[in-house]
Amino acid sequence: MSAEQQSKPVSFNSARFLISASRLDECPPDDGVEIAFAGRSNAGKSSAINCITGHGKLARTSKTPGRTRLINFFSLNREHCRLVDLPGYGYAKVSRNMKEDWQEHLGHYLNDRRCLRGLVLVMDIRHPLTEFDRMMVDWCEHNQVPLTILVTKADKLKFGQAKTTMLTIAKELKQQQFVENLVMFSATTKRGLDETRDILSQWFEPPPR
């Protein structure tokens, strides 16, 4: 990455679809910096990505949760900086063999992708810390991957109830060393948007020497 590219602020509005991959060997070259988004189907992951990037249709939202089974890459204005939309997990009505194959390739990405800088875990504030969410938190702890948690659909609860839920989540995760950020988020009201962009911008910066 050139000095000019490195000094250029990341613009999330510059996000553009780059490529989809079903296997690790179909992914872009393993260089630069990637930030991946994961979440249970219907947790609001696609809506969160669209909100963060200012593109209403960048990440496909579907009335059939779990429909997207590909790893989708989005380029940004800074060279070799990418956002990654990982397949949703949960409601997909697919065969067991297809689901196992899907999870295997997702696991390869999470375990073997060297340019993965951090993971954004999206969870519904009304249904936090599902089995999938806990699995992803444990994976980040085991692999020492920084984790930001977006607690989405905050507009679906009254503020007091939402705040209580956030405190409960924080208490349950207080022993997790790699949970760096816990953000109350709403794609509808844009609550937490600026905070999330600031977090991701810091992740895209090169680590201090």
Side-chain angles (χ1 to χ4, degrees):
M1 190 184 301
S2 68
E4 182 181 355
Q5 278 284 343
Q6 205 171 53
S7 62
K8 181 186 294 186
V10 168
S11 168
F12 294 100
N13 287 27
S14 72
R16 297 291 183 271
F17 174 75
L18 181 63
I19 194 172
S20 293
S22 61
R23 303 191 309 271
L24 193 63
D25 59 10
E26 296 175 351
C27 294
D30 194 356
D31 56 19
V33 181
E34 287 178 354
I35 297 174
F37 287 73
R40 192 173 188 273
S41 297
N42 213 28
K45 176 167 58 69
S46 295
S47 296
I49 293 172
N50 290 341
C51 180
I52 291 165
T53 60
H55 289 272
K57 297 181 180 179
L58 186 70
R60 294 181 180 178
T61 56
S62 173
K63 292 181 180 179
T64 307
R67 188 174 181 181
T68 302
R69 295 186 288 274
L70 298 173
I71 302 173
N72 296 304
F73 294 82
F74 306 102
S75 63
L76 294 167
N77 63 314
R78 186 186 288 183
E79 189 178 3
H80 303 309
C81 288
R82 296 175 293 272
L83 298 176
V84 184
D85 183 11
L86 299 176
Y89 177 91
Y91 289 107
K93 295 179 180 178
V94 296
S95 69
R96 177 177 292 181
N97 287 343
M98 183 179 290
K99 188 170 289 189
E100 288 175 353
D101 185 57
W102 170 20
Q103 291 171 15
E104 178 185 354
H105 292 303
L106 178 58
H108 287 165
Y109 172 84
L110 291 171
N111 288 311
D112 300 331
R113 193 72 171 166
R114 295 188 304 275
C115 64
L116 179 62
R117 172 63 180 82
L119 188 74
V120 180
L121 176 60
V122 178
M123 63 175 72
D124 188 329
I125 197 167
R126 299 165 300 176
H127 312 287
L129 294 175
T130 64
E131 182 182 0
F132 169 78
D133 298 331
R134 294 177 188 277
M135 180 180 73
M136 295 306 298
V137 171
D138 289 344
W139 179 87
C140 287
E141 286 291 312
H142 179 74
N143 291 279
Q144 300 184 358
V145 173
L147 177 64
T148 287
I149 296 177
L150 292 191
V151 187
T152 60
K153 305 188 182 183
D155 55 288
K156 301 293 186 183
L157 298 180
K158 292 181 179 179
F159 182 74
Q161 189 179 358
K163 194 72 174 176
T164 299
T165 301
M166 293 294 291
L167 291 170
T168 301
I169 296 170
K171 184 177 180 180
E172 289 203 36
L173 296 177
K174 67 179 181 179
Q175 301 300 326
Q176 307 293 334
Q177 294 183 341
F178 286 87
V179 178
E180 293 190 352
N181 309 283
L182 182 63
V183 182
M184 187 191 298
F185 192 90
S186 168
T188 301
T189 66
K190 295 183 171 52
R191 173 183 288 277
L193 173 59
D194 290 342
E195 182 181 357
T196 303
R197 284 179 167 177
D198 287 345
I199 291 165
L200 301 186
S201 294
Q202 291 171 22
W203 276 0
F204 276 121
E205 294 305 315
R209 295 184 177 181

